[in-house]
Amino acid sequence: MEKWNQSSSDFTLLGLFPQNQTGLLLLLLIVFVFSLALFGNSTMIHLIRVDSRLHTPMYILLSQLSLMDLMYISTTVPKMAFNFLSGQKSITFLGCGVQSFFFLTMACSEGLLLASMAYDRFVAICHPLHYPTRMSKMMCLKMIIGSWLLGSINSLAHTVYALHIPYCHSRSINHFFCDVPAMLPLACMDTWVYEYMVFVSTSLFLLLPFLGITASYGRVLFTVFHMRSTEGKKKAFTTCSTHLTVVTFYYAPFVYTYLRPRSLRSPTEDKILAVFYTILTPMLNPIIYSLRNKEVLGAMTRVFGLLSWLKDIKECLVGLPLIIFYGDMDFSSPRASSAEAVVELTLTKEKVQKAHVDPVFLNLNFILAI
């Protein structure tokens, strides 16, 4: 019988791709997806932070989803790329524990957060008059804290248990990150109790939220069918289909992977499915929520478009001896409250002086209809 390895020994990650040119091309594709995910989620967080029109519960929850996706994909891809390019497949015992903890935290927290987002849409569409009370900022904050806290507690329990299992076989993990179920075949003890814990945990943090999301969107679609407004139906269908797309990409491969018995699991299949919820989903989320959401597209136009307008206006003002006075016109009140996106740009005396212009007046109001 082999001797039990000491808990300080390193693990070996066999990785996702073979060490050849095909593997290198596939790795470059993964790195490209990783870059898109970083850019997309960072942009989404920035838009929601700077645009006051997106300071609503739905978009606050969406910003947390982007933050989780950033941490999610950063937990696995950099280490996988480093191991492939350096040829060193090892990961320290502590490093494996840290990677497992953050991966499980993001997985469980994101599952709960998606359920919170589904509840937000359910209240907004089915009970719009109660929305300000049921989805107040305090309730939104409780949902966010609850998702992070419950995910962290569950992850800590699994990680501590996995690191205390005695390993007496090869420490080669047939995966591209420290996934706890992939570590169980290396244990020197019967792990049926822990596998049962994984089943219960997956049911609580993934299956039940998924069933709740399905039920809430079923109720939403029922309400949408009875709407009289065609525009309202279109907007509701767009929002619901966007959320359901995200939910399907995330939950389906996750639940299928973790609820199967070990006898029916294949390491190769598990790794392919893991690509969906660890790499592709964090990249697709900001694309889906931005390209199919008029409010996010409007925020992108206002935030990034306004910067180019400011630059162009300053370039036009430089070198001019004076500015023509257009009169005392106030355009802001009637149009700022309308559905059309309106940005008011006010050039104060200080701003004009920075452009090296001798102003005839103190304020010039531009109404830029976007």
Side-chain angles (χ1 to χ4, degrees), residues 13 15-17 26-38 69-85 99 103 176-178 274-283:
L13 296 173
L16 182 62
F17 305 123
L26 293 174
L27 178 68
L28 293 177
L29 178 61
I30 293 295
V31 171
F32 176 71
V33 171
F34 175 72
S35 302
L36 288 179
L38 290 183
D69 283 337
L70 273 177
M71 299 178 66
Y72 207 175
I73 196 170
S74 299
T75 301
T76 57
V77 173
K79 180 60 178 175
M80 178 183 68
F82 175 80
N83 284 358
F84 184 93
L85 296 175
Q99 187 182 57
F103 167 77
F176 60 92
F177 66 96
C178 287
V275 171
F276 280 91
Y277 56 80
T278 61
I279 299 175
L280 293 182
T281 300
M283 182 269 293

mmCIF file of all heavy atoms in Angstrom, residues 13 15-17 26-38 69-85 99 103 176-178 274-283:
data_model
loop_
_atom_site.group_PDB
_atom_site.id
_atom_site.type_symbol
_atom_site.label_atom_id
_atom_site.label_comp_id
_atom_site.label_asym_id
_atom_site.label_seq_id
_atom_site.Cartn_x
_atom_site.Cartn_y
_atom_site.Cartn_z
ATOM 1 N N LEU A 13 -1.549 19.752 -12.274
ATOM 2 C CA LEU A 13 -2.727 19.970 -13.117
ATOM 3 C C LEU A 13 -2.406 19.506 -14.538
ATOM 4 O O LEU A 13 -1.507 20.052 -15.184
ATOM 5 C CB LEU A 13 -3.119 21.446 -13.118
ATOM 6 C CG LEU A 13 -3.569 22.028 -11.769
ATOM 7 C CD1 LEU A 13 -3.762 23.548 -11.882
ATOM 8 C CD2 LEU A 13 -4.856 21.374 -11.297
ATOM 9 N N GLY A 15 -4.089 19.860 -17.158
ATOM 10 C CA GLY A 15 -4.405 20.898 -18.122
ATOM 11 C C GLY A 15 -5.539 20.539 -19.062
ATOM 12 O O GLY A 15 -6.120 19.446 -18.999
ATOM 13 N N LEU A 16 -5.818 21.469 -19.967
ATOM 14 C CA LEU A 16 -6.939 21.321 -20.895
ATOM 15 C C LEU A 16 -6.482 20.942 -22.293
ATOM 16 O O LEU A 16 -7.185 20.212 -23.001
ATOM 17 C CB LEU A 16 -7.723 22.643 -20.946
ATOM 18 C CG LEU A 16 -8.970 22.709 -21.817
ATOM 19 C CD1 LEU A 16 -10.024 21.712 -21.331
ATOM 20 C CD2 LEU A 16 -9.548 24.128 -21.829
ATOM 21 N N PHE A 17 -5.290 21.405 -22.717
ATOM 22 C CA PHE A 17 -4.827 21.187 -24.085
ATOM 23 C C PHE A 17 -3.530 20.391 -24.094
ATOM 24 O O PHE A 17 -2.740 20.464 -23.146
ATOM 25 C CB PHE A 17 -4.590 22.529 -24.789
ATOM 26 C CG PHE A 17 -5.785 23.440 -24.776
ATOM 27 C CD1 PHE A 17 -5.693 24.725 -24.236
ATOM 28 C CD2 PHE A 17 -7.000 23.019 -25.297
ATOM 29 C CE1 PHE A 17 -6.791 25.552 -24.216
ATOM 30 C CE2 PHE A 17 -8.100 23.851 -25.276
ATOM 31 C CZ PHE A 17 -7.998 25.123 -24.736
ATOM 32 N N LEU A 26 -5.222 26.809 -29.454
ATOM 33 C CA LEU A 26 -6.409 26.809 -28.599
ATOM 34 C C LEU A 26 -6.191 27.663 -27.350
ATOM 35 O O LEU A 26 -7.111 28.360 -26.902
ATOM 36 C CB LEU A 26 -6.773 25.374 -28.213
ATOM 37 C CG LEU A 26 -7.264 24.470 -29.351
ATOM 38 C CD1 LEU A 26 -7.455 23.042 -28.867
ATOM 39 C CD2 LEU A 26 -8.562 25.010 -29.938
ATOM 40 N N LEU A 27 -4.980 27.626 -26.818
ATOM 41 C CA LEU A 27 -4.677 28.462 -25.660
ATOM 42 C C LEU A 27 -4.750 29.940 -26.010
ATOM 43 O O LEU A 27 -5.284 30.745 -25.233
ATOM 44 C CB LEU A 27 -3.288 28.118 -25.116
ATOM 45 C CG LEU A 27 -2.838 28.968 -23.916
ATOM 46 C CD1 LEU A 27 -3.697 28.654 -22.694
ATOM 47 C CD2 LEU A 27 -1.370 28.759 -23.605
ATOM 48 N N LEU A 28 -4.230 30.308 -27.188
ATOM 49 C CA LEU A 28 -4.308 31.703 -27.621
ATOM 50 C C LEU A 28 -5.760 32.139 -27.775
ATOM 51 O O LEU A 28 -6.109 33.292 -27.466
ATOM 52 C CB LEU A 28 -3.557 31.888 -28.942
ATOM 53 C CG LEU A 28 -2.037 31.710 -28.877
ATOM 54 C CD1 LEU A 28 -1.426 31.844 -30.273
ATOM 55 C CD2 LEU A 28 -1.412 32.715 -27.923
ATOM 56 N N LEU A 29 -6.619 31.228 -28.235
ATOM 57 C CA LEU A 29 -8.041 31.534 -28.336
ATOM 58 C C LEU A 29 -8.640 31.773 -26.949
ATOM 59 O O LEU A 29 -9.427 32.711 -26.758
ATOM 60 C CB LEU A 29 -8.769 30.390 -29.042
ATOM 61 C CG LEU A 29 -10.287 30.536 -29.190
ATOM 62 C CD1 LEU A 29 -10.626 31.771 -30.020
ATOM 63 C CD2 LEU A 29 -10.885 29.284 -29.807
ATOM 64 N N ILE A 30 -8.249 30.951 -25.986
ATOM 65 C CA ILE A 30 -8.733 31.120 -24.605
ATOM 66 C C ILE A 30 -8.243 32.442 -24.031
ATOM 67 O O ILE A 30 -8.992 33.158 -23.345
ATOM 68 C CB ILE A 30 -8.276 29.944 -23.729
ATOM 69 C CG1 ILE A 30 -8.955 28.646 -24.177
ATOM 70 C CG2 ILE A 30 -8.573 30.213 -22.257
ATOM 71 C CD1 ILE A 30 -10.447 28.620 -23.984
ATOM 72 N N VAL A 31 -6.984 32.797 -24.305
ATOM 73 C CA VAL A 31 -6.442 34.068 -23.813
ATOM 74 C C VAL A 31 -7.191 35.240 -24.442
ATOM 75 O O VAL A 31 -7.455 36.253 -23.778
ATOM 76 C CB VAL A 31 -4.932 34.156 -24.119
ATOM 77 C CG1 VAL A 31 -4.402 35.549 -23.806
ATOM 78 C CG2 VAL A 31 -4.169 33.118 -23.312
ATOM 79 N N PHE A 32 -7.566 35.117 -25.719
ATOM 80 C CA PHE A 32 -8.349 36.154 -26.374
ATOM 81 C C PHE A 32 -9.727 36.293 -25.716
ATOM 82 O O PHE A 32 -10.205 37.413 -25.470
ATOM 83 C CB PHE A 32 -8.499 35.825 -27.863
ATOM 84 C CG PHE A 32 -9.381 36.787 -28.613
ATOM 85 C CD1 PHE A 32 -8.958 38.085 -28.871
ATOM 86 C CD2 PHE A 32 -10.636 36.393 -29.060
ATOM 87 C CE1 PHE A 32 -9.769 38.981 -29.559
ATOM 88 C CE2 PHE A 32 -11.450 37.271 -29.747
ATOM 89 C CZ PHE A 32 -11.010 38.570 -29.997
ATOM 90 N N VAL A 33 -10.362 35.166 -25.432
ATOM 91 C CA VAL A 33 -11.647 35.189 -24.734
ATOM 92 C C VAL A 33 -11.486 35.810 -23.356
ATOM 93 O O VAL A 33 -12.334 36.587 -22.900
ATOM 94 C CB VAL A 33 -12.222 33.756 -24.631
ATOM 95 C CG1 VAL A 33 -13.442 33.720 -23.719
ATOM 96 C CG2 VAL A 33 -12.580 33.221 -26.004
ATOM 97 N N PHE A 34 -10.392 35.479 -22.690
ATOM 98 C CA PHE A 34 -10.095 36.056 -21.370
ATOM 99 C C PHE A 34 -9.968 37.575 -21.457
ATOM 100 O O PHE A 34 -10.500 38.301 -20.598
ATOM 101 C CB PHE A 34 -8.801 35.432 -20.837
ATOM 102 C CG PHE A 34 -8.306 36.024 -19.547
ATOM 103 C CD1 PHE A 34 -8.956 35.782 -18.350
ATOM 104 C CD2 PHE A 34 -7.173 36.828 -19.542
ATOM 105 C CE1 PHE A 34 -8.498 36.328 -17.162
ATOM 106 C CE2 PHE A 34 -6.706 37.368 -18.364
ATOM 107 C CZ PHE A 34 -7.362 37.123 -17.171
ATOM 108 N N SER A 35 -9.288 38.057 -22.486
ATOM 109 C CA SER A 35 -9.133 39.506 -22.664
ATOM 110 C C SER A 35 -10.478 40.173 -22.924
ATOM 111 O O SER A 35 -10.756 41.253 -22.387
ATOM 112 C CB SER A 35 -8.172 39.788 -23.825
ATOM 113 O OG SER A 35 -6.912 39.186 -23.609
ATOM 114 N N LEU A 36 -11.323 39.545 -23.747
ATOM 115 C CA LEU A 36 -12.656 40.080 -23.991
ATOM 116 C C LEU A 36 -13.472 40.142 -22.709
ATOM 117 O O LEU A 36 -14.199 41.110 -22.464
ATOM 118 C CB LEU A 36 -13.390 39.232 -25.030
ATOM 119 C CG LEU A 36 -12.930 39.322 -26.488
ATOM 120 C CD1 LEU A 36 -13.768 38.399 -27.360
ATOM 121 C CD2 LEU A 36 -13.021 40.760 -26.995
ATOM 122 N N ALA A 37 -13.355 39.103 -21.899
ATOM 123 C CA ALA A 37 -14.100 39.067 -20.635
ATOM 124 C C ALA A 37 -13.631 40.179 -19.694
ATOM 125 O O ALA A 37 -14.459 40.847 -19.060
ATOM 126 C CB ALA A 37 -13.934 37.705 -19.964
ATOM 127 N N LEU A 38 -12.326 40.384 -19.608
ATOM 128 C CA LEU A 38 -11.804 41.456 -18.758
ATOM 129 C C LEU A 38 -12.301 42.817 -19.242
ATOM 130 O O LEU A 38 -12.761 43.647 -18.445
ATOM 131 C CB LEU A 38 -10.276 41.429 -18.746
ATOM 132 C CG LEU A 38 -9.596 40.267 -18.021
ATOM 133 C CD1 LEU A 38 -8.078 40.457 -18.048
ATOM 134 C CD2 LEU A 38 -10.081 40.155 -16.589
ATOM 135 N N ASP A 69 -17.802 37.682 -12.425
ATOM 136 C CA ASP A 69 -17.254 37.084 -13.642
ATOM 137 C C ASP A 69 -15.777 37.438 -13.816
ATOM 138 O O ASP A 69 -14.983 36.606 -14.282
ATOM 139 C CB ASP A 69 -18.048 37.554 -14.861
ATOM 140 C CG ASP A 69 -19.378 36.835 -14.993
ATOM 141 O OD1 ASP A 69 -19.505 35.729 -14.446
ATOM 142 O OD2 ASP A 69 -20.300 37.388 -15.636
ATOM 143 N N LEU A 70 -15.416 38.653 -13.454
ATOM 144 C CA LEU A 70 -13.996 39.039 -13.508
ATOM 145 C C LEU A 70 -13.147 38.148 -12.606
ATOM 146 O O LEU A 70 -12.089 37.645 -13.018
ATOM 147 C CB LEU A 70 -13.837 40.502 -13.083
ATOM 148 C CG LEU A 70 -13.994 41.584 -14.153
ATOM 149 C CD1 LEU A 70 -13.877 42.968 -13.519
ATOM 150 C CD2 LEU A 70 -12.952 41.416 -15.241
ATOM 151 N N MET A 71 -13.596 37.956 -11.380
ATOM 152 C CA MET A 71 -12.855 37.117 -10.436
ATOM 153 C C MET A 71 -12.926 35.652 -10.843
ATOM 154 O O MET A 71 -11.961 34.897 -10.656
ATOM 155 C CB MET A 71 -13.416 37.325 -9.032
ATOM 156 C CG MET A 71 -13.300 38.742 -8.512
ATOM 157 S SD MET A 71 -14.013 38.961 -6.871
ATOM 158 C CE MET A 71 -12.920 37.954 -5.876
ATOM 159 N N TYR A 72 -14.068 35.265 -11.393
ATOM 160 C CA TYR A 72 -14.292 33.881 -11.801
ATOM 161 C C TYR A 72 -13.262 33.432 -12.833
ATOM 162 O O TYR A 72 -12.543 32.442 -12.651
ATOM 163 C CB TYR A 72 -15.707 33.782 -12.377
ATOM 164 C CG TYR A 72 -16.367 32.438 -12.268
ATOM 165 C CD1 TYR A 72 -17.692 32.268 -12.670
ATOM 166 C CD2 TYR A 72 -15.698 31.318 -11.777
ATOM 167 C CE1 TYR A 72 -18.323 31.047 -12.574
ATOM 168 C CE2 TYR A 72 -16.315 30.101 -11.676
ATOM 169 C CZ TYR A 72 -17.630 29.960 -12.088
ATOM 170 O OH TYR A 72 -18.256 28.753 -11.990
ATOM 171 N N ILE A 73 -13.190 34.186 -13.940
ATOM 172 C CA ILE A 73 -12.298 33.790 -15.027
ATOM 173 C C ILE A 73 -10.831 34.018 -14.661
ATOM 174 O O ILE A 73 -9.944 33.316 -15.155
ATOM 175 C CB ILE A 73 -12.681 34.540 -16.326
ATOM 176 C CG1 ILE A 73 -12.050 33.872 -17.542
ATOM 177 C CG2 ILE A 73 -12.301 36.017 -16.250
ATOM 178 C CD1 ILE A 73 -12.572 34.391 -18.855
ATOM 179 N N SER A 74 -10.570 34.992 -13.775
ATOM 180 C CA SER A 74 -9.194 35.255 -13.355
ATOM 181 C C SER A 74 -8.677 34.179 -12.411
ATOM 182 O O SER A 74 -7.462 34.088 -12.183
ATOM 183 C CB SER A 74 -9.107 36.620 -12.669
ATOM 184 O OG SER A 74 -9.484 37.655 -13.556
ATOM 185 N N THR A 75 -9.555 33.364 -11.870
ATOM 186 C CA THR A 75 -9.142 32.296 -10.956
ATOM 187 C C THR A 75 -8.523 31.128 -11.702
ATOM 188 O O THR A 75 -7.644 30.448 -11.160
ATOM 189 C CB THR A 75 -10.369 31.805 -10.145
ATOM 190 O OG1 THR A 75 -10.906 32.896 -9.412
ATOM 191 C CG2 THR A 75 -9.979 30.705 -9.179
ATOM 192 N N THR A 76 -8.948 30.898 -12.939
ATOM 193 C CA THR A 76 -8.530 29.684 -13.650
ATOM 194 C C THR A 76 -7.603 29.941 -14.842
ATOM 195 O O THR A 76 -6.595 29.261 -15.003
ATOM 196 C CB THR A 76 -9.777 28.930 -14.147
ATOM 197 O OG1 THR A 76 -10.560 29.807 -14.978
ATOM 198 C CG2 THR A 76 -10.630 28.476 -12.973
ATOM 199 N N VAL A 77 -7.944 30.920 -15.687
ATOM 200 C CA VAL A 77 -7.223 31.075 -16.957
ATOM 201 C C VAL A 77 -5.757 31.474 -16.793
ATOM 202 O O VAL A 77 -4.887 30.887 -17.454
ATOM 203 C CB VAL A 77 -7.964 32.074 -17.875
ATOM 204 C CG1 VAL A 77 -7.144 32.369 -19.131
ATOM 205 C CG2 VAL A 77 -9.330 31.517 -18.267
ATOM 206 N N PRO A 78 -5.400 32.470 -15.961
ATOM 207 C CA PRO A 78 -3.973 32.838 -15.856
ATOM 208 C C PRO A 78 -3.079 31.673 -15.435
ATOM 209 O O PRO A 78 -1.993 31.493 -16.007
ATOM 210 C CB PRO A 78 -3.985 33.954 -14.802
ATOM 211 C CG PRO A 78 -5.345 34.546 -14.893
ATOM 212 C CD PRO A 78 -6.248 33.392 -15.178
ATOM 213 N N LYS A 79 -3.509 30.893 -14.471
ATOM 214 C CA LYS A 79 -2.707 29.749 -14.027
ATOM 215 C C LYS A 79 -2.610 28.698 -15.124
ATOM 216 O O LYS A 79 -1.536 28.110 -15.344
ATOM 217 C CB LYS A 79 -3.332 29.144 -12.768
ATOM 218 C CG LYS A 79 -2.583 27.932 -12.213
ATOM 219 C CD LYS A 79 -1.154 28.273 -11.826
ATOM 220 C CE LYS A 79 -0.437 27.071 -11.244
ATOM 221 N NZ LYS A 79 0.996 27.346 -10.960
ATOM 222 N N MET A 80 -3.708 28.447 -15.822
ATOM 223 C CA MET A 80 -3.692 27.478 -16.909
ATOM 224 C C MET A 80 -2.736 27.921 -18.014
ATOM 225 O O MET A 80 -1.951 27.118 -18.541
ATOM 226 C CB MET A 80 -5.100 27.313 -17.469
ATOM 227 C CG MET A 80 -5.197 26.345 -18.646
ATOM 228 S SD MET A 80 -6.851 26.222 -19.362
ATOM 229 C CE MET A 80 -7.025 27.851 -20.076
ATOM 230 N N ALA A 81 -2.772 29.207 -18.378
ATOM 231 C CA ALA A 81 -1.890 29.716 -19.420
ATOM 232 C C ALA A 81 -0.428 29.664 -18.976
ATOM 233 O O ALA A 81 0.457 29.303 -19.768
ATOM 234 C CB ALA A 81 -2.283 31.146 -19.777
ATOM 235 N N PHE A 82 -0.159 30.012 -17.725
ATOM 236 C CA PHE A 82 1.213 29.979 -17.216
ATOM 237 C C PHE A 82 1.770 28.559 -17.232
ATOM 238 O O PHE A 82 2.920 28.332 -17.640
ATOM 239 C CB PHE A 82 1.257 30.546 -15.798
ATOM 240 C CG PHE A 82 2.606 30.439 -15.141
ATOM 241 C CD1 PHE A 82 3.609 31.346 -15.430
ATOM 242 C CD2 PHE A 82 2.878 29.411 -14.247
ATOM 243 C CE1 PHE A 82 4.866 31.241 -14.842
ATOM 244 C CE2 PHE A 82 4.119 29.300 -13.645
ATOM 245 C CZ PHE A 82 5.120 30.217 -13.940
ATOM 246 N N ASN A 83 0.981 27.602 -16.790
ATOM 247 C CA ASN A 83 1.441 26.212 -16.774
ATOM 248 C C ASN A 83 1.727 25.701 -18.182
ATOM 249 O O ASN A 83 2.709 24.987 -18.409
ATOM 250 C CB ASN A 83 0.394 25.315 -16.108
ATOM 251 C CG ASN A 83 0.385 25.466 -14.596
ATOM 252 O OD1 ASN A 83 1.178 26.203 -14.025
ATOM 253 N ND2 ASN A 83 -0.532 24.774 -13.942
ATOM 254 N N PHE A 84 0.871 26.067 -19.135
ATOM 255 C CA PHE A 84 1.077 25.594 -20.505
ATOM 256 C C PHE A 84 2.334 26.207 -21.111
ATOM 257 O O PHE A 84 3.144 25.502 -21.732
ATOM 258 C CB PHE A 84 -0.143 25.939 -21.354
ATOM 259 C CG PHE A 84 -0.075 25.400 -22.764
ATOM 260 C CD1 PHE A 84 -0.625 24.173 -23.068
ATOM 261 C CD2 PHE A 84 0.541 26.134 -23.778
ATOM 262 C CE1 PHE A 84 -0.565 23.674 -24.371
ATOM 263 C CE2 PHE A 84 0.613 25.640 -25.067
ATOM 264 C CZ PHE A 84 0.062 24.405 -25.372
ATOM 265 N N LEU A 85 2.505 27.513 -20.964
ATOM 266 C CA LEU A 85 3.635 28.197 -21.600
ATOM 267 C C LEU A 85 4.962 27.881 -20.921
ATOM 268 O O LEU A 85 6.006 27.855 -21.570
ATOM 269 C CB LEU A 85 3.390 29.708 -21.595
ATOM 270 C CG LEU A 85 2.186 30.189 -22.416
ATOM 271 C CD1 LEU A 85 1.973 31.684 -22.244
ATOM 272 C CD2 LEU A 85 2.360 29.839 -23.889
ATOM 273 N N GLN A 99 -7.206 28.570 -4.992
ATOM 274 C CA GLN A 99 -7.931 28.532 -6.266
ATOM 275 C C GLN A 99 -9.292 27.871 -6.104
ATOM 276 O O GLN A 99 -10.306 28.352 -6.628
ATOM 277 C CB GLN A 99 -7.110 27.782 -7.315
ATOM 278 C CG GLN A 99 -7.711 27.842 -8.709
ATOM 279 C CD GLN A 99 -6.923 27.048 -9.723
ATOM 280 O OE1 GLN A 99 -6.713 25.851 -9.560
ATOM 281 N NE2 GLN A 99 -6.485 27.727 -10.780
ATOM 282 N N PHE A 103 -12.894 29.785 -6.687
ATOM 283 C CA PHE A 103 -13.753 29.226 -7.722
ATOM 284 C C PHE A 103 -15.125 28.864 -7.158
ATOM 285 O O PHE A 103 -16.167 29.232 -7.734
ATOM 286 C CB PHE A 103 -13.098 27.988 -8.337
ATOM 287 C CG PHE A 103 -14.048 27.181 -9.178
ATOM 288 C CD1 PHE A 103 -14.396 27.605 -10.449
ATOM 289 C CD2 PHE A 103 -14.593 25.999 -8.694
ATOM 290 C CE1 PHE A 103 -15.284 26.863 -11.222
ATOM 291 C CE2 PHE A 103 -15.481 25.264 -9.458
ATOM 292 C CZ PHE A 103 -15.819 25.691 -10.727
ATOM 293 N N PHE A 176 -7.989 21.445 -15.504
ATOM 294 C CA PHE A 176 -7.129 22.610 -15.700
ATOM 295 C C PHE A 176 -7.192 23.570 -14.513
ATOM 296 O O PHE A 176 -6.585 24.635 -14.548
ATOM 297 C CB PHE A 176 -7.468 23.340 -17.005
ATOM 298 C CG PHE A 176 -8.888 23.853 -17.097
ATOM 299 C CD1 PHE A 176 -9.207 25.139 -16.683
ATOM 300 C CD2 PHE A 176 -9.892 23.058 -17.624
ATOM 301 C CE1 PHE A 176 -10.506 25.617 -16.781
ATOM 302 C CE2 PHE A 176 -11.192 23.531 -17.738
ATOM 303 C CZ PHE A 176 -11.497 24.811 -17.310
ATOM 304 N N PHE A 177 -7.926 23.194 -13.459
ATOM 305 C CA PHE A 177 -7.889 23.927 -12.197
ATOM 306 C C PHE A 177 -8.242 22.957 -11.074
ATOM 307 O O PHE A 177 -8.632 21.809 -11.327
ATOM 308 C CB PHE A 177 -8.850 25.127 -12.213
ATOM 309 C CG PHE A 177 -10.301 24.757 -12.300
ATOM 310 C CD1 PHE A 177 -11.086 24.663 -11.164
ATOM 311 C CD2 PHE A 177 -10.906 24.528 -13.533
ATOM 312 C CE1 PHE A 177 -12.420 24.321 -11.244
ATOM 313 C CE2 PHE A 177 -12.241 24.203 -13.627
ATOM 314 C CZ PHE A 177 -13.003 24.091 -12.477
ATOM 315 N N CYS A 178 -8.106 23.414 -9.843
ATOM 316 C CA CYS A 178 -8.336 22.538 -8.695
ATOM 317 C C CYS A 178 -9.832 22.418 -8.418
ATOM 318 O O CYS A 178 -10.370 23.096 -7.523
ATOM 319 C CB CYS A 178 -7.599 23.078 -7.462
ATOM 320 S SG CYS A 178 -5.819 22.868 -7.541
ATOM 321 N N ALA A 274 -16.652 22.441 -18.184
ATOM 322 C CA ALA A 274 -16.137 23.499 -17.313
ATOM 323 C C ALA A 274 -15.761 24.747 -18.095
ATOM 324 O O ALA A 274 -15.808 25.862 -17.559
ATOM 325 C CB ALA A 274 -14.930 22.999 -16.521
ATOM 326 N N VAL A 275 -15.387 24.570 -19.364
ATOM 327 C CA VAL A 275 -15.054 25.720 -20.202
ATOM 328 C C VAL A 275 -16.253 26.644 -20.343
ATOM 329 O O VAL A 275 -16.119 27.876 -20.371
ATOM 330 C CB VAL A 275 -14.553 25.254 -21.586
ATOM 331 C CG1 VAL A 275 -14.405 26.435 -22.535
ATOM 332 C CG2 VAL A 275 -13.231 24.518 -21.453
ATOM 333 N N PHE A 276 -17.452 26.083 -20.395
ATOM 334 C CA PHE A 276 -18.657 26.889 -20.573
ATOM 335 C C PHE A 276 -18.885 27.811 -19.377
ATOM 336 O O PHE A 276 -19.084 29.017 -19.541
ATOM 337 C CB PHE A 276 -19.879 25.982 -20.769
ATOM 338 C CG PHE A 276 -20.007 25.444 -22.157
ATOM 339 C CD1 PHE A 276 -19.435 24.228 -22.499
ATOM 340 C CD2 PHE A 276 -20.687 26.140 -23.128
ATOM 341 C CE1 PHE A 276 -19.541 23.725 -23.787
ATOM 342 C CE2 PHE A 276 -20.809 25.658 -24.426
ATOM 343 C CZ PHE A 276 -20.224 24.441 -24.751
ATOM 344 N N TYR A 277 -18.867 27.246 -18.149
ATOM 345 C CA TYR A 277 -19.219 28.082 -16.999
ATOM 346 C C TYR A 277 -18.042 28.794 -16.351
ATOM 347 O O TYR A 277 -18.237 29.649 -15.496
ATOM 348 C CB TYR A 277 -19.998 27.267 -15.946
ATOM 349 C CG TYR A 277 -19.316 26.017 -15.429
ATOM 350 C CD1 TYR A 277 -18.329 26.077 -14.458
ATOM 351 C CD2 TYR A 277 -19.695 24.762 -15.885
ATOM 352 C CE1 TYR A 277 -17.723 24.931 -13.973
ATOM 353 C CE2 TYR A 277 -19.112 23.608 -15.403
ATOM 354 C CZ TYR A 277 -18.122 23.700 -14.449
ATOM 355 O OH TYR A 277 -17.531 22.554 -13.965
ATOM 356 N N THR A 278 -16.812 28.484 -16.751
ATOM 357 C CA THR A 278 -15.670 29.203 -16.182
ATOM 358 C C THR A 278 -15.037 30.199 -17.140
ATOM 359 O O THR A 278 -14.399 31.161 -16.693
ATOM 360 C CB THR A 278 -14.568 28.214 -15.731
ATOM 361 O OG1 THR A 278 -14.104 27.464 -16.870
ATOM 362 C CG2 THR A 278 -15.083 27.261 -14.681
ATOM 363 N N ILE A 279 -15.204 29.995 -18.456
ATOM 364 C CA ILE A 279 -14.520 30.846 -19.440
ATOM 365 C C ILE A 279 -15.507 31.537 -20.381
ATOM 366 O O ILE A 279 -15.472 32.767 -20.541
ATOM 367 C CB ILE A 279 -13.497 30.023 -20.256
ATOM 368 C CG1 ILE A 279 -12.445 29.433 -19.322
ATOM 369 C CG2 ILE A 279 -12.837 30.890 -21.313
ATOM 370 C CD1 ILE A 279 -11.457 28.500 -20.002
ATOM 371 N N LEU A 280 -16.393 30.765 -21.001
ATOM 372 C CA LEU A 280 -17.299 31.350 -21.996
ATOM 373 C C LEU A 280 -18.370 32.238 -21.365
ATOM 374 O O LEU A 280 -18.646 33.336 -21.864
ATOM 375 C CB LEU A 280 -17.961 30.239 -22.819
ATOM 376 C CG LEU A 280 -17.032 29.432 -23.731
ATOM 377 C CD1 LEU A 280 -17.823 28.407 -24.526
ATOM 378 C CD2 LEU A 280 -16.275 30.356 -24.683
ATOM 379 N N THR A 281 -18.979 31.785 -20.274
ATOM 380 C CA THR A 281 -20.041 32.573 -19.648
ATOM 381 C C THR A 281 -19.554 33.942 -19.174
ATOM 382 O O THR A 281 -20.226 34.952 -19.419
ATOM 383 C CB THR A 281 -20.679 31.799 -18.482
ATOM 384 O OG1 THR A 281 -21.236 30.580 -18.990
ATOM 385 C CG2 THR A 281 -21.777 32.595 -17.823
ATOM 386 N N PRO A 282 -18.408 34.061 -18.485
ATOM 387 C CA PRO A 282 -17.930 35.400 -18.107
ATOM 388 C C PRO A 282 -17.662 36.311 -19.289
ATOM 389 O O PRO A 282 -17.755 37.535 -19.163
ATOM 390 C CB PRO A 282 -16.625 35.094 -17.344
ATOM 391 C CG PRO A 282 -16.804 33.722 -16.814
ATOM 392 C CD PRO A 282 -17.592 32.996 -17.868
ATOM 393 N N MET A 283 -17.337 35.730 -20.458
ATOM 394 C CA MET A 283 -17.122 36.554 -21.644
ATOM 395 C C MET A 283 -18.449 36.953 -22.300
ATOM 396 O O MET A 283 -18.609 38.072 -22.782
ATOM 397 C CB MET A 283 -16.249 35.786 -22.653
ATOM 398 C CG MET A 283 -15.909 36.561 -23.917
ATOM 399 S SD MET A 283 -17.099 36.313 -25.272
ATOM 400 C CE MET A 283 -16.817 34.603 -25.676
#
